[in-house]
Amino acid sequence: MRKNIVAGNWKMNKNLQEGVALATELKEIVSNPNCEVIIGTPFIHLATVSELLKDSVIKVSAENCADKVSGAYTGEVSAEMVKSTGAEYCILGHSERRAYYGETYEILKEKVQLALANDLKPIFCIGEVKEEREAGKQNEVVKAQLEGSVFNLSAEDFGKIVLAYEPVWAIGTGLTATPEQAQEIHAYIRGLVAEKYGNEVADNCTILYGGSCNAKNAAGLFANPDIDGGLIGGASLKAEDFKAIIDAF
Ligand code: PGA
C-alpha cells in the first residue's frame, strides 16, 4: 500500500541557526508518526540537518536541484551534491520555480531524471493557477504537466516519485481547496497514472495536497481516499503547527 506523507517546504525561510533550531525541536516532538515525515529545507541546511536527523524518523528533502550534471553552472547545486548531504528527497516543479525561475516541462524532465539517477526521490508538484481553475481547465493543466515532465519515465522510476497537487491559487493565500475539490482532482490524477502505468503503480502512488494546508483543515483533507498527505509551506515553519498536521493522521 502507498505511504502517507507529511512534508514541509521551508522555501526561502530560516537562516542556518534558525533551521537547526527548528529541526532540533521537531526531532524532539515527532516520534512514531502514522505517516512518513519529511522536511524540505534550503540547500545550505541540508548537510547539517541530515546529520542532525539521521537517527530520527524525519527525512530530509531539497527544494530544487540543477538540470545539469556538473560543471560551469555558477550558483547551481546538482542532484549528486544534494544526495551527498544525506538528503533523500527533492521537491521539483514547485509553482514558484515554474513562475519565477522559468522552469519549463523540459527543464523539469531533466531535473527529475537527474534526481532519480542520483537516488533521490522527487516530490513532483503540479497544479493550476486561478484563471485556469475558473475556466474549468484544472484537469487539462495537471495532465499536461505530468505528460511534459514525468510520464516519459519507466514504471519502475515513476514508482519512486511522490506527486503533490498544489493549486497555485491556494498557496500562501489562506484559500484552501475544499476536501471535495481536492479529492476530485486527486482521483483524476490517480486515474491518469493508472491509464499510463496500470492500477498497481497508481495504487502505490502517494499524492499529496498542498496549498494553505494547516492544523485546522488537514484532517478533513487527509480523510479522503486519494489524498495521501500534505506538502506544507507556511505551517511547516513552526514545530507545533507542523506537528499538529502530522497528528492529523
Ligand atoms: P503554503 O505552501 O502551505 O504556505 O500554502 C505550500 C507550498 O507551496 O508547498
Side-chain angles (χ1 to χ4, degrees):
M1 257 322 266
R2 59 182 173 262
K3 264 189 222 167
N4 290 324
I5 297 177
V6 172
N9 174 13
W10 291 2
K11 308 194 180 184
M12 197 173 75
N13 294 295
K14 308 272 177 205
N15 65 29
L16 182 58
Q17 290 72 28
E18 291 164 345
V20 167
L22 177 54
T24 306
E25 214 180 333
L26 286 169
K27 186 181 173 181
E28 278 159 22
I29 63 175
V30 177
S31 61
N32 269 338
N34 291 318
C35 59
E36 185 160 306
V37 178
I38 303 170
I39 53 173
T41 81
F43 290 131
I44 60 137
H45 299 64
L46 292 174
T48 316
V49 165
S50 296
E51 177 65 24
L52 178 74
L53 296 176
K54 77 172 187 287
D55 303 317
S56 86
V57 292
I58 305 171
K59 305 207 183 306
V60 178
S61 176
E63 300 174 12
N64 182 29
C65 71
D67 61 338
K68 301 288 192 296
V69 175
S70 66
Y73 302 101
T74 302
E76 287 293 290
V77 175
S78 71
E80 190 198 348
M81 293 171 185
V82 169
K83 180 68 188 179
S84 74
T85 66
E88 286 180 47
Y89 286 88
C90 187
I91 298 170
L92 290 172
H94 192 282
S95 60
E96 288 149 16
R97 301 288 325 165
R98 294 178 192 261
Y100 309 145
Y101 301 97
E103 295 194 356
T104 61
Y105 296 173
E106 275 304 309
I107 290 173
L108 290 171
K109 190 170 167 181
E110 295 299 321
K111 292 189 177 200
V112 168
Q113 278 170 344
L114 285 168
L116 288 167
N118 286 284
D119 201 22
L120 288 168
K121 289 172 244 177
I123 300 174
F124 186 72
C125 306
I126 55 177
E128 78 288 353
V129 299
K130 184 160 159 268
E131 294 71 30
E132 291 162 340
R133 169 66 63 165
E134 283 167 358
K137 291 197 170 144
Q138 61 275 14
N139 288 5
E140 261 175 64
V141 171
V142 297
K143 185 171 190 224
Q145 289 169 332
L146 291 169
E147 286 175 344
S149 306
V150 291
F151 275 2
N152 58 300
L153 297 171
S154 66
E156 193 193 339
D157 275 346
F158 187 85
K160 298 171 187 158
I161 287 193
V162 172
L163 295 179
Y165 168 68
E166 299 204 301
V168 181
W169 48 272
I171 296 179
T173 58
L175 294 172
T176 321
T178 63
E180 294 73 26
Q181 280 174 323
Q183 166 55 28
E184 190 182 8
I185 192 154
H186 278 230
Y188 172 74
I189 292 164
R190 197 176 308 284
L192 292 175
V193 175
E195 263 173 45
K196 175 76 192 169
Y197 294 107
N199 286 335
E200 197 184 328
V201 173
D203 279 347
N204 287 327
C205 180
T206 295
I207 309 178
L208 308 179
Y209 168 80
S212 299
C213 184
N214 57 37
K216 289 207 180 82
N217 58 32
L221 287 158
F222 301 171
N224 289 279
D226 290 296
I227 303 179
D228 310 313
L231 181 56
I232 320 298
S236 72
L237 296 173
K238 281 207 191 112
E240 298 293 311
D241 295 351
F242 192 52
K243 164 90 162 53
I245 296 172
I246 294 164
D247 289 345
F249 270 117

